[in-house]
Amino acid sequence: MERRRGGGSTGAARRPGAQAGASFLQARHGSGNTEEAARAPPFHLDLWFYFTLQNWVLDFGRPIAMIDSFELLYYYDEYLGHCMWYIPFFLILFMYFSGCFTACKGESVMPGPALLLVAPSGLYYWYLVTEGQIFILFIFTFFAMLALVLHQKRKRLFLDSNGLFLFSSFALTLLLVALWVAWLWNDPVLRKKYPGVIYVPEPWAFYTLHVSSHH
């Protein structure tokens, strides 16, 4: 009976120690999770830099590759290329954008490199929209992004640095397109060439009709 009592007292003495150890481990893991949650998602500088660079190189290098086979490539570029390239392109951008949200409002800020890339990125999308004649697809994507931002804001979710970069690039593109259309709004030659409801002249058409013709 004495041994049993002694054993019981020893077990009772061990329980507070075990509970203290468990509490320490829980506190340690809890602090680690808090630190991981507090980390701001990094701005993907390498992704956006090389993405902007390859957009400029590939799109402006394409006319050079079109010399010896112009008719075939022109048909591919004007008809098949628009469906095969632009629709998946903007769909992938929107899918990526949908994952660029954070619960911490302090993380909703763009670093310096992102600010430097906004101008060339927005300028490229302006060229893509005007030269590719895909304003409807672009404006639909932009408004879908805006609707997603407003919807996520109700859940107290904010754009991270990558989402801000992409949204700012699209906003700059929309501004450039508006200025471009306003500048050429009363151009009689381009108005005759683009008689539709949506008037977005191509830069190459402007160059051909107004710049190269004078030389």
Side-chain angles (χ1 to χ4, degrees):
M1 294 296 290
E2 294 179 355
R3 291 182 180 177
R4 291 181 181 178
R5 293 177 181 174
S9 62
T10 304
R14 290 178 179 175
R15 289 175 187 170
Q19 292 177 356
S23 300
F24 174 75
L25 291 176
Q26 290 177 358
R28 184 177 180 182
H29 288 293
S31 61
N33 294 333
T34 304
E35 291 178 358
E36 293 179 359
R39 293 178 183 175
F43 177 70
H44 302 155
L45 175 60
D46 52 347
L47 171 66
W48 291 116
F49 174 76
Y50 288 115
F51 185 69
T52 304
L53 181 64
Q54 68 92 18
N55 282 338
W56 280 96
V57 172
L58 293 182
D59 220 311
F60 282 95
R62 182 176 53 186
I64 300 176
M66 289 177 64
I67 300 175
D68 302 330
S69 56
F70 177 78
E71 292 296 332
L72 178 61
L73 290 176
Y74 179 82
Y75 173 79
Y76 170 80
D77 179 59
E78 291 297 321
Y79 298 99
L80 296 180
H82 284 203
C83 297
M84 296 175 61
W85 169 247
Y86 293 127
I87 294 178
F89 177 76
F90 281 98
L91 180 61
I92 291 173
L93 284 180
F94 180 77
M95 293 174 62
Y96 177 86
F97 180 80
S98 64
C100 296
F101 289 88
T102 177
C104 181
K105 191 174 182 179
E107 298 173 2
S108 185
V109 63
M110 280 195 299
L115 294 174
L116 294 177
L117 283 177
V118 166
S121 179
L123 185 61
Y124 170 76
Y125 290 130
W126 165 82
Y127 167 78
L128 197 69
V129 170
T130 54
E131 190 66 30
Q133 293 293 287
I134 54 170
F135 179 77
I136 295 179
L137 179 60
F138 165 77
I139 199 66
F140 177 80
T141 306
F142 179 77
F143 281 129
M145 293 166 62
L146 180 60
L148 182 61
V149 170
L150 296 177
H151 175 71
Q152 295 289 67
K153 192 175 182 179
R154 295 178 181 177
K155 300 179 180 180
R156 302 194 63 82
L157 295 176
F158 309 93
L159 286 173
D160 62 10
S161 57
N162 297 283
L164 282 174
F165 170 79
L166 190 56
F167 190 81
S168 300
S169 298
F170 271 50
L172 177 60
T173 300
L174 185 60
L175 176 61
L176 292 175
V177 172
L179 293 175
W180 174 256
V181 172
W183 181 44
L184 301 174
W185 186 258
N186 295 320
D187 190 295
V189 181
L190 291 176
R191 272 291 182 178
K192 186 177 181 180
K193 184 177 176 61
Y194 302 94
V197 178
I198 300 178
Y199 175 68
V200 182
E202 299 174 81
W204 186 253
F206 171 80
Y207 175 81
T208 303
L209 294 175
H210 293 288
V211 178
S212 62
S213 60
H214 293 291
H215 294 287

